[in-house]
Amino acid sequence: MDEFHIEGGFRLEGDVPVNGAKNAALPILIAALLVEEGESVIRNVPDLRDIHSCLEVLGHLGVESEFDLEHSTVTLDASSLDSFEAPYELVQKMRASFLVMGPLLARLGQARISLPGGCAIGSRPVDQHRKAFRAMGASFEDEGGYMLGTAKPLSGATIFFDRPSHTGTENVIMGAVLAEGTTTIVNAACDPEVSDLARSLRAAGANIAGEGSTEIIIEGVKRLQPLDYAVMPDRLEAATFLIAGAITGGRVTVRGARANDLGLVLSKLSEMGVEMTSTAESVTAGIDGRPESTVITTYPFPGFPTDLQAAIMALTSVAEGTSVIRETVFEDRFLHVAEMARLGAEIRTVGDEATVIGVEHLSGASVMASDIRAGAGLVLACLAAEGESVITRVYHIDRGHERVEERLRSLGARITREG
Ligand code: EPU
């Protein structure tokens, strides 16, 4: 199993390009399932473990795909879809596989998907997905860890989500584009990746309005043309590089980052004393000395992203003063706290709240990544920690950050991957 070896305490300087967004690429690749004839072309797809897992699930369903790694382009042909099952071995690798539910119900009228189960950040039920498809005329039976859905055909309905679900909204959008009639999603997720999915489908002939707001309206159409779309830049990766600049007292420019997708994050960094500049092509973060403390509550978009909670916690751990971070999206997303403590961070958690007493220096230690974003937070903390650190279970980080060590090295980080 690969490890990262990091010698911390060095300023990062320079610029780095941002990749396509994993959480937009996944639903857009899966949306190709909806296309009955012709080849879909998806560009700006990052070369990540999760993307390969997604292509494996699609392959299992009978979709032919090819990933041109040199050009970050995936071509997909779903004309000979011959299965409606996503098996446990595949869904277990990546829970976003559950997104095939909507397209399969829409195209084949049935889907048998392994229930995703919990993961390192919480129990993560799928009740909102199920409730939405029920409202659209589907019925479900659970058996042996699988959810068998049938719908002949899916029909439009008004869906009231109890809470905004990111992939829940995407799943319903994909089910609704080929359903009969109009579907309205009330309390929809407003995340930029949801909007990117909507734009990719609209370009293929879908009738969708209101994405980016809490109410999305989809008018079913008979068929879609093949998708031809370039995935949006990854806001989470962009923010991770920006925080890498700030935590090392350096200055990092992320080329291709979109400031609009990072509104509250940039504003919080700026409140912490990080100098932020954005242009149409890039965002830059720089700071001399230590950042100031802050108060953060994670919340669905446009709130502060839960996916950046570990990263911002790393930054607050070296801030001047005491910060408070509340996690309201997932019930169990503080696994990185004990690892950061091994690096000398002073963090106390009570329930969903972490109090972080900033220290002047972190110091190198061996730590373990528990999920993609906790792993990225640990990389950041180790970049700031003086001396040598080792991060194990790097495969978690590889699920969401492409060759992060090479890209950090290009900014002056001393990080190597050891097999
Ligand atoms: N929830 C329910 N019932 C549901 C669906 C969600 O109770 O049917 C709860 C969840 O348990 C959680 C909250 O609602 O407490 C929000 O979950 P959401 O459904 O929005 O999360 P998701 O769609 O499963 C996506 C991202 C996650 C990201 C969250 C929150 C993808 C593939 N995944 O997950 O990304 O943390 O939204 O923004 O888009 C990651 O990339 O590392 C990652 C975990």
mmCIF file of all heavy atoms in Angstrom, residues 22-23 26 96 121 124-129 163-168 191 306-307 329-330 333 372-373, ligand 1:
data_model
loop_
_atom_site.group_PDB
_atom_site.id
_atom_site.type_symbol
_atom_site.label_atom_id
_atom_site.label_comp_id
_atom_site.label_asym_id
_atom_site.label_seq_id
_atom_site.Cartn_x
_atom_site.Cartn_y
_atom_site.Cartn_z
ATOM 1 N N LYS A 22 -14.379 15.654 -9.816
ATOM 2 C CA LYS A 22 -14.849 14.270 -9.639
ATOM 3 C C LYS A 22 -16.364 14.207 -9.463
ATOM 4 O O LYS A 22 -17.041 13.416 -10.119
ATOM 5 C CB LYS A 22 -14.167 13.651 -8.412
ATOM 6 C CG LYS A 22 -14.827 12.371 -7.914
ATOM 7 C CD LYS A 22 -14.166 11.811 -6.685
ATOM 8 C CE LYS A 22 -14.633 12.341 -5.369
ATOM 9 N NZ LYS A 22 -15.911 11.808 -4.846
ATOM 10 N N ASN A 23 -16.887 15.049 -8.564
ATOM 11 C CA ASN A 23 -18.307 14.932 -8.220
ATOM 12 C C ASN A 23 -19.243 15.480 -9.293
ATOM 13 O O ASN A 23 -20.460 15.352 -9.170
ATOM 14 C CB ASN A 23 -18.581 15.577 -6.858
ATOM 15 C CG ASN A 23 -17.998 14.747 -5.732
ATOM 16 O OD1 ASN A 23 -17.589 13.609 -5.944
ATOM 17 N ND2 ASN A 23 -17.943 15.322 -4.539
ATOM 18 N N LEU A 26 -18.678 12.175 -12.242
ATOM 19 C CA LEU A 26 -19.358 10.899 -11.957
ATOM 20 C C LEU A 26 -20.804 10.897 -12.473
ATOM 21 O O LEU A 26 -21.170 10.021 -13.273
ATOM 22 C CB LEU A 26 -19.302 10.568 -10.465
ATOM 23 C CG LEU A 26 -17.919 10.221 -9.904
ATOM 24 C CD1 LEU A 26 -17.960 10.107 -8.385
ATOM 25 C CD2 LEU A 26 -17.416 8.905 -10.501
ATOM 26 N N ALA A 96 -21.241 6.307 -4.882
ATOM 27 C CA ALA A 96 -21.909 7.111 -5.914
ATOM 28 C C ALA A 96 -22.443 6.226 -7.049
ATOM 29 O O ALA A 96 -23.218 6.690 -7.891
ATOM 30 C CB ALA A 96 -20.965 8.178 -6.459
ATOM 31 N N ILE A 121 -17.697 8.358 7.046
ATOM 32 C CA ILE A 121 -18.158 9.682 7.488
ATOM 33 C C ILE A 121 -19.592 9.688 8.025
ATOM 34 O O ILE A 121 -20.084 10.705 8.462
ATOM 35 C CB ILE A 121 -17.990 10.754 6.372
ATOM 36 C CG1 ILE A 121 -18.780 10.408 5.112
ATOM 37 C CG2 ILE A 121 -16.538 10.967 6.060
ATOM 38 C CD1 ILE A 121 -18.698 11.489 4.038
ATOM 39 N N ARG A 124 -25.230 7.520 6.105
ATOM 40 C CA ARG A 124 -25.564 7.867 4.735
ATOM 41 C C ARG A 124 -26.714 7.041 4.122
ATOM 42 O O ARG A 124 -26.522 6.280 3.162
ATOM 43 C CB ARG A 124 -24.318 7.798 3.859
ATOM 44 C CG ARG A 124 -23.185 8.640 4.431
ATOM 45 C CD ARG A 124 -21.977 8.680 3.550
ATOM 46 N NE ARG A 124 -22.166 9.483 2.364
ATOM 47 C CZ ARG A 124 -21.234 9.686 1.450
ATOM 48 N NH1 ARG A 124 -20.058 9.141 1.583
ATOM 49 N NH2 ARG A 124 -21.488 10.425 0.391
ATOM 50 N N PRO A 125 -27.919 7.206 4.668
ATOM 51 C CA PRO A 125 -29.060 6.469 4.102
ATOM 52 C C PRO A 125 -29.417 6.960 2.692
ATOM 53 O O PRO A 125 -28.939 8.015 2.263
ATOM 54 C CB PRO A 125 -30.196 6.794 5.076
ATOM 55 C CG PRO A 125 -29.810 8.055 5.751
ATOM 56 C CD PRO A 125 -28.312 8.109 5.760
ATOM 57 N N VAL A 126 -30.266 6.198 1.994
ATOM 58 C CA VAL A 126 -30.708 6.611 0.651
ATOM 59 C C VAL A 126 -32.226 6.793 0.629
ATOM 60 O O VAL A 126 -32.863 6.691 -0.422
ATOM 61 C CB VAL A 126 -30.250 5.609 -0.451
ATOM 62 C CG1 VAL A 126 -28.756 5.714 -0.679
ATOM 63 C CG2 VAL A 126 -30.656 4.184 -0.101
ATOM 64 N N ASP A 127 -32.813 7.052 1.800
ATOM 65 C CA ASP A 127 -34.272 7.160 1.898
ATOM 66 C C ASP A 127 -34.846 8.282 1.024
ATOM 67 O O ASP A 127 -35.959 8.156 0.503
ATOM 68 C CB ASP A 127 -34.691 7.373 3.355
ATOM 69 C CG ASP A 127 -34.043 8.611 3.957
ATOM 70 O OD1 ASP A 127 -32.808 8.711 3.909
ATOM 71 O OD2 ASP A 127 -34.763 9.500 4.442
ATOM 72 N N GLN A 128 -34.097 9.353 0.832
ATOM 73 C CA GLN A 128 -34.622 10.467 0.031
ATOM 74 C C GLN A 128 -34.680 10.094 -1.454
ATOM 75 O O GLN A 128 -35.600 10.484 -2.169
ATOM 76 C CB GLN A 128 -33.779 11.737 0.227
ATOM 77 C CG GLN A 128 -33.780 12.246 1.656
ATOM 78 C CD GLN A 128 -35.180 12.573 2.159
ATOM 79 O OE1 GLN A 128 -35.929 13.329 1.551
ATOM 80 N NE2 GLN A 128 -35.544 11.967 3.279
ATOM 81 N N HIS A 129 -33.695 9.328 -1.922
ATOM 82 C CA HIS A 129 -33.708 8.838 -3.315
ATOM 83 C C HIS A 129 -34.957 7.948 -3.503
ATOM 84 O O HIS A 129 -35.711 8.081 -4.456
ATOM 85 C CB HIS A 129 -32.481 7.976 -3.620
ATOM 86 C CG HIS A 129 -31.148 8.643 -3.413
ATOM 87 N ND1 HIS A 129 -30.239 8.776 -4.437
ATOM 88 C CD2 HIS A 129 -30.548 9.178 -2.324
ATOM 89 C CE1 HIS A 129 -29.138 9.365 -3.975
ATOM 90 N NE2 HIS A 129 -29.299 9.608 -2.702
ATOM 91 N N ARG A 163 -34.307 17.137 3.150
ATOM 92 C CA ARG A 163 -33.095 17.952 3.214
ATOM 93 C C ARG A 163 -32.446 17.874 1.844
ATOM 94 O O ARG A 163 -32.663 16.910 1.113
ATOM 95 C CB ARG A 163 -32.146 17.432 4.297
ATOM 96 C CG ARG A 163 -31.728 15.988 4.090
ATOM 97 C CD ARG A 163 -30.975 15.426 5.265
ATOM 98 N NE ARG A 163 -29.710 16.092 5.447
ATOM 99 C CZ ARG A 163 -28.946 15.935 6.526
ATOM 100 N NH1 ARG A 163 -29.319 15.145 7.505
ATOM 101 N NH2 ARG A 163 -27.805 16.563 6.633
ATOM 102 N N PRO A 164 -31.665 18.879 1.472
ATOM 103 C CA PRO A 164 -31.070 18.813 0.138
ATOM 104 C C PRO A 164 -30.044 17.687 0.075
ATOM 105 O O PRO A 164 -29.144 17.633 0.911
ATOM 106 C CB PRO A 164 -30.388 20.178 -0.035
ATOM 107 C CG PRO A 164 -30.478 20.882 1.266
ATOM 108 C CD PRO A 164 -31.312 20.090 2.213
ATOM 109 N N SER A 165 -30.232 16.772 -0.839
ATOM 110 C CA SER A 165 -29.252 15.706 -1.042
ATOM 111 C C SER A 165 -28.605 15.933 -2.403
ATOM 112 O O SER A 165 -29.286 16.047 -3.419
ATOM 113 C CB SER A 165 -29.941 14.337 -1.007
ATOM 114 O OG SER A 165 -29.084 13.368 -1.553
ATOM 115 N N HIS A 166 -27.276 15.957 -2.397
ATOM 116 C CA HIS A 166 -26.494 16.230 -3.604
ATOM 117 C C HIS A 166 -26.748 15.142 -4.665
ATOM 118 O O HIS A 166 -27.333 15.410 -5.721
ATOM 119 C CB HIS A 166 -25.026 16.299 -3.158
ATOM 120 C CG HIS A 166 -24.056 16.680 -4.199
ATOM 121 N ND1 HIS A 166 -22.973 17.482 -3.944
ATOM 122 C CD2 HIS A 166 -23.964 16.369 -5.488
ATOM 123 C CE1 HIS A 166 -22.278 17.652 -5.038
ATOM 124 N NE2 HIS A 166 -22.859 16.972 -5.989
ATOM 125 N N THR A 167 -26.380 13.894 -4.341
ATOM 126 C CA THR A 167 -26.597 12.842 -5.341
ATOM 127 C C THR A 167 -28.083 12.492 -5.459
ATOM 128 O O THR A 167 -28.523 12.021 -6.508
ATOM 129 C CB THR A 167 -25.788 11.560 -5.028
ATOM 130 O OG1 THR A 167 -26.023 11.197 -3.669
ATOM 131 C CG2 THR A 167 -24.309 11.762 -5.255
ATOM 132 N N GLY A 168 -28.867 12.748 -4.389
ATOM 133 C CA GLY A 168 -30.314 12.521 -4.482
ATOM 134 C C GLY A 168 -30.906 13.397 -5.581
ATOM 135 O O GLY A 168 -31.685 12.925 -6.428
ATOM 136 N N ASP A 191 -25.731 22.633 -5.368
ATOM 137 C CA ASP A 191 -24.290 22.540 -5.653
ATOM 138 C C ASP A 191 -23.967 22.758 -7.130
ATOM 139 O O ASP A 191 -24.721 22.327 -8.015
ATOM 140 C CB ASP A 191 -23.769 21.142 -5.273
ATOM 141 C CG ASP A 191 -23.990 20.842 -3.820
ATOM 142 O OD1 ASP A 191 -25.166 20.588 -3.453
ATOM 143 O OD2 ASP A 191 -23.030 20.873 -3.046
ATOM 144 N N THR A 306 -18.837 20.603 3.569
ATOM 145 C CA THR A 306 -18.342 19.576 4.485
ATOM 146 C C THR A 306 -17.067 18.940 3.938
ATOM 147 O O THR A 306 -16.193 18.532 4.693
ATOM 148 C CB THR A 306 -19.421 18.493 4.730
ATOM 149 O OG1 THR A 306 -18.838 17.439 5.491
ATOM 150 C CG2 THR A 306 -19.987 17.915 3.456
ATOM 151 N N ASP A 307 -16.957 18.869 2.605
ATOM 152 C CA ASP A 307 -15.780 18.245 1.996
ATOM 153 C C ASP A 307 -14.501 19.049 2.237
ATOM 154 O O ASP A 307 -13.405 18.550 1.950
ATOM 155 C CB ASP A 307 -15.999 18.046 0.488
ATOM 156 C CG ASP A 307 -16.986 16.930 0.208
ATOM 157 O OD1 ASP A 307 -17.155 16.054 1.073
ATOM 158 O OD2 ASP A 307 -17.612 16.941 -0.871
ATOM 159 N N VAL A 329 -23.439 18.453 8.259
ATOM 160 C CA VAL A 329 -23.910 17.656 7.107
ATOM 161 C C VAL A 329 -23.813 16.154 7.389
ATOM 162 O O VAL A 329 -24.775 15.413 7.169
ATOM 163 C CB VAL A 329 -23.149 18.039 5.819
ATOM 164 C CG1 VAL A 329 -23.620 17.183 4.639
ATOM 165 C CG2 VAL A 329 -23.338 19.522 5.510
ATOM 166 N N PHE A 330 -22.672 15.709 7.884
ATOM 167 C CA PHE A 330 -22.498 14.284 8.207
ATOM 168 C C PHE A 330 -22.322 14.103 9.709
ATOM 169 O O PHE A 330 -21.724 14.951 10.370
ATOM 170 C CB PHE A 330 -21.304 13.691 7.452
ATOM 171 C CG PHE A 330 -21.572 13.547 5.977
ATOM 172 C CD1 PHE A 330 -20.960 14.382 5.063
ATOM 173 C CD2 PHE A 330 -22.467 12.603 5.507
ATOM 174 C CE1 PHE A 330 -21.229 14.268 3.700
ATOM 175 C CE2 PHE A 330 -22.753 12.478 4.152
ATOM 176 C CZ PHE A 330 -22.132 13.311 3.240
ATOM 177 N N ARG A 333 -17.935 12.999 10.982
ATOM 178 C CA ARG A 333 -16.870 13.375 10.067
ATOM 179 C C ARG A 333 -15.701 14.048 10.790
ATOM 180 O O ARG A 333 -15.130 15.015 10.304
ATOM 181 C CB ARG A 333 -17.405 14.278 8.950
ATOM 182 C CG ARG A 333 -16.617 14.056 7.677
ATOM 183 C CD ARG A 333 -17.139 14.774 6.481
ATOM 184 N NE ARG A 333 -16.504 14.201 5.295
ATOM 185 C CZ ARG A 333 -16.690 14.626 4.068
ATOM 186 N NH1 ARG A 333 -17.502 15.623 3.828
ATOM 187 N NH2 ARG A 333 -16.062 14.068 3.048
ATOM 188 N N ILE A 372 -11.350 10.409 1.539
ATOM 189 C CA ILE A 372 -10.664 11.304 0.587
ATOM 190 C C ILE A 372 -10.312 12.634 1.233
ATOM 191 O O ILE A 372 -9.172 13.095 1.190
ATOM 192 C CB ILE A 372 -11.593 11.635 -0.617
ATOM 193 C CG1 ILE A 372 -12.100 10.368 -1.284
ATOM 194 C CG2 ILE A 372 -10.890 12.535 -1.608
ATOM 195 C CD1 ILE A 372 -13.165 10.627 -2.354
ATOM 196 N N ARG A 373 -11.328 13.253 1.816
ATOM 197 C CA ARG A 373 -11.147 14.639 2.266
ATOM 198 C C ARG A 373 -10.384 14.716 3.573
ATOM 199 O O ARG A 373 -9.648 15.669 3.816
ATOM 200 C CB ARG A 373 -12.494 15.338 2.387
ATOM 201 C CG ARG A 373 -13.401 15.157 1.176
ATOM 202 C CD ARG A 373 -12.800 15.698 -0.103
ATOM 203 N NE ARG A 373 -13.625 15.341 -1.255
ATOM 204 C CZ ARG A 373 -13.285 15.549 -2.519
ATOM 205 N NH1 ARG A 373 -12.120 16.094 -2.822
ATOM 206 N NH2 ARG A 373 -14.088 15.193 -3.502
HETATM 207 N N1 EPU B 1 -29.085 11.948 3.459
HETATM 208 C C1 EPU B 1 -30.158 11.269 3.988
HETATM 209 N N2 EPU B 1 -30.938 10.541 3.121
HETATM 210 C C2 EPU B 1 -30.682 10.464 1.789
HETATM 211 C C3 EPU B 1 -29.587 11.180 1.253
HETATM 212 C C4 EPU B 1 -28.799 11.918 2.131
HETATM 213 O O1 EPU B 1 -30.416 11.303 5.194
HETATM 214 O O2 EPU B 1 -31.420 9.786 1.070
HETATM 215 C C5 EPU B 1 -28.229 12.719 4.373
HETATM 216 C C6 EPU B 1 -26.798 12.191 4.408
HETATM 217 O O3 EPU B 1 -26.657 11.110 5.285
HETATM 218 C C7 EPU B 1 -26.022 13.415 4.836
HETATM 219 C C8 EPU B 1 -26.802 14.547 4.140
HETATM 220 O O4 EPU B 1 -28.108 14.020 3.864
HETATM 221 O O5 EPU B 1 -26.095 13.555 6.212
HETATM 222 C C9 EPU B 1 -26.225 15.080 2.852
HETATM 223 O O6 EPU B 1 -25.910 13.990 2.008
HETATM 224 P P1 EPU B 1 -25.910 14.085 0.425
HETATM 225 O O7 EPU B 1 -26.949 13.156 -0.090
HETATM 226 O O8 EPU B 1 -25.958 15.502 0.001
HETATM 227 O O9 EPU B 1 -24.481 13.493 0.117
HETATM 228 P P2 EPU B 1 -24.132 12.568 -1.118
HETATM 229 O O10 EPU B 1 -24.917 12.980 -2.265
HETATM 230 O O11 EPU B 1 -24.141 11.142 -0.713
HETATM 231 C C10 EPU B 1 -22.275 14.123 -2.078
HETATM 232 C C11 EPU B 1 -20.819 14.033 -2.433
HETATM 233 C C12 EPU B 1 -20.008 13.955 -1.149
HETATM 234 C C13 EPU B 1 -20.293 15.199 -0.315
HETATM 235 C C14 EPU B 1 -21.801 15.331 -0.060
HETATM 236 C C15 EPU B 1 -22.174 16.609 0.648
HETATM 237 C C16 EPU B 1 -20.736 12.931 -4.577
HETATM 238 C C17 EPU B 1 -20.412 11.707 -5.358
HETATM 239 N N3 EPU B 1 -20.594 12.855 -3.259
HETATM 240 O O12 EPU B 1 -22.602 12.950 -1.346
HETATM 241 O O13 EPU B 1 -18.648 13.946 -1.543
HETATM 242 O O14 EPU B 1 -19.607 15.114 0.906
HETATM 243 O O15 EPU B 1 -22.520 15.297 -1.305
HETATM 244 O O16 EPU B 1 -21.824 17.703 -0.109
HETATM 245 O O17 EPU B 1 -21.107 13.942 -5.143
HETATM 246 C C18 EPU B 1 -16.375 13.336 -1.473
HETATM 247 O O18 EPU B 1 -16.265 13.755 -2.635
HETATM 248 O O19 EPU B 1 -15.379 13.041 -0.775
HETATM 249 C C19 EPU B 1 -17.700 13.195 -0.876
HETATM 250 C C20 EPU B 1 -17.943 12.470 0.207
#
